[in-house]
Amino acid sequence: MNGWGRILKPNIIVTDLDGTLLRSDATLSDYTRKVLAEGLAQGHMISYATARSFISSWNIVSAIPWRYPVLLYNGALLYDPVLRRKIDGRFLSADVTEAWIRVGKAFGFSPLVFALGADEREWVLHERLQREGERRFYASRPGDPRFKEVESLENGLPPFPMMLTYIGLPEELQPLMEAGLRSFGSEVHVNFMPDSYISGHYFLEISHPLANKRDGLELWARHVGCAPGQITVFGDNLNDVPLFERAGFRIAVANAHPTLKSMADAVTGANDEDGVAPI
């Protein structure tokens, strides 16, 4: 029996990926893979909630036989990993998307636009990448078929925008975030957090007001037939705060942001120590 069978009750588990389930090099250890696969085989309900897309996350964690819905884009999309289809989602309106793009350009930024097409194909649309953080993010996903460079993001977008992502230095992104929130604060959910892999850089993520891990967990719970208070969650970064706000039992990995640790019911080993897969 793995550690979940001994220490976590009820065994309904939703974990973050980057910085939590994944090691610092964005890989999954053989030990963690084995423990999760055994847990699923023993009847534990195990899933993940991530800022990543399905393609990006699947490239890393597909060795685990996931069978329950997964939360993608920080809760904007509930996705069936078996049937490979959208179950539900919270999408940005065209007006809000276009307005944030205009505000960003006033500060010298153009976002990565994560969206679904009419055929539910995932896209990451972007103008020519000019900043170091953007180029490094793109380079970290070689051959990713979602990425498409366009001449201008203002010349038409896919029907289901899920997230606008700006990557830059915090002192550059802060004024952009404040200007956007003054105009559209009630119409979006904002994540502003350090990038796990690009030193010194931050993500500024703009999504639907309900596209966060708290409301996403509510949606996930309804679809699997449990109450959010029955769910144990694992996390490490500030975008996991909403997840911790709604779950019944909260576990921070040892490398977690101090805010997460202050909210946690328990602290486990670090992500590089298989903290989500106890012995």
Side-chain angles (χ1 to χ4, degrees):
M1 178 184 294
N2 65 54
W4 286 331
R6 295 193 303 271
I7 67 172
L8 297 183
K9 295 182 181 181
N11 292 314
I12 306 174
I13 298 152
V14 175
T15 179
D16 172 56
L17 292 184
D18 292 280
T20 304
L21 188 72
L22 303 181
R23 294 179 291 196
S24 296
D25 61 356
T27 62
L28 185 71
S29 77
D30 288 339
Y31 176 76
T32 290
R33 177 198 55 75
K34 178 181 177 182
V35 168
L36 265 68
E38 289 177 352
L40 285 161
Q42 291 167 8
H44 303 314
M45 297 176 66
I46 306 169
S47 185
Y48 62 84
T50 180
R52 289 179 179 262
S53 70
F54 181 70
I55 290 174
S56 175
S57 61
W58 201 249
N59 286 340
I60 300 171
V61 300
S62 60
I64 297 169
W66 306 100
R67 64 188 65 173
Y68 299 101
V70 296
L71 277 171
L72 307 171
Y73 299 99
N74 278 326
L77 182 64
L78 187 68
Y79 196 83
D80 187 324
V82 178
L83 299 178
R84 307 290 183 91
R85 65 175 181 85
K86 172 174 67 72
I87 299 173
D88 209 337
R90 275 77 180 252
F91 306 105
L92 287 164
S93 70
D95 289 345
V96 169
T97 301
E98 292 166 3
W100 270 91
I101 290 173
R102 289 194 297 270
V103 170
K105 288 191 172 183
F107 286 85
F109 277 90
S110 180
L112 302 170
V113 179
F114 294 80
L116 290 184
D119 59 355
E120 297 191 2
R121 179 177 176 179
E122 292 180 295
W123 289 103
V124 184
L125 301 184
H126 61 89
E127 298 178 2
R128 186 167 65 89
L129 302 176
Q130 302 187 48
R131 294 175 175 271
E132 177 190 0
E134 299 165 350
R135 292 194 296 266
R136 289 176 63 180
F137 180 83
Y138 176 78
S140 71
R141 288 155 170 77
D144 192 322
R146 299 172 300 148
F147 283 81
K148 181 180 179 181
E149 182 175 321
V150 297
E151 184 175 346
S152 174
L153 290 172
E154 297 169 285
N155 293 336
L157 293 167
F160 303 111
M162 292 178 289
M163 188 163 64
L164 309 182
T165 297
Y166 298 90
I167 306 172
L169 302 177
E171 61 269 23
E172 298 173 326
L173 291 175
Q174 185 83 32
L176 163 58
M177 179 177 67
E178 292 173 355
L181 287 175
R182 282 195 296 270
S183 299
F184 313 107
S186 64
E187 300 176 75
V188 295
H189 176 78
V190 172
N191 278 317
F192 185 53
M193 62 183 187
D195 182 89
S196 298
Y197 306 111
I198 307 174
S199 178
H201 285 69
Y202 270 57
F203 280 173
L204 172 60
E205 298 170 335
I206 313 301
S207 55
H208 184 279
L210 298 181
N212 60 77
K213 292 187 180 183
R214 178 185 58 250
D215 292 290
L217 194 69
E218 291 264 11
L219 190 63
W220 187 89
R222 288 202 296 271
H223 278 273
V224 303
C226 72
Q230 295 176 281
I231 303 172
T232 293
V233 297
F234 291 82
D236 78 300
N237 212 337
L238 294 176
N239 66 326
D240 297 317
V241 167
L243 195 67
F244 274 40
E245 289 174 340
R246 194 63 191 93
F249 195 77
R250 303 157 296 183
I251 302 178
V253 287
N255 54 287
H257 190 282
T259 298
L260 266 290
K261 288 184 177 179
S262 72
M263 299 175 66
D265 298 298
V267 176
T268 187
N271 63 321
D272 288 325
E273 301 168 342
D274 297 299
V276 182
I279 297 172

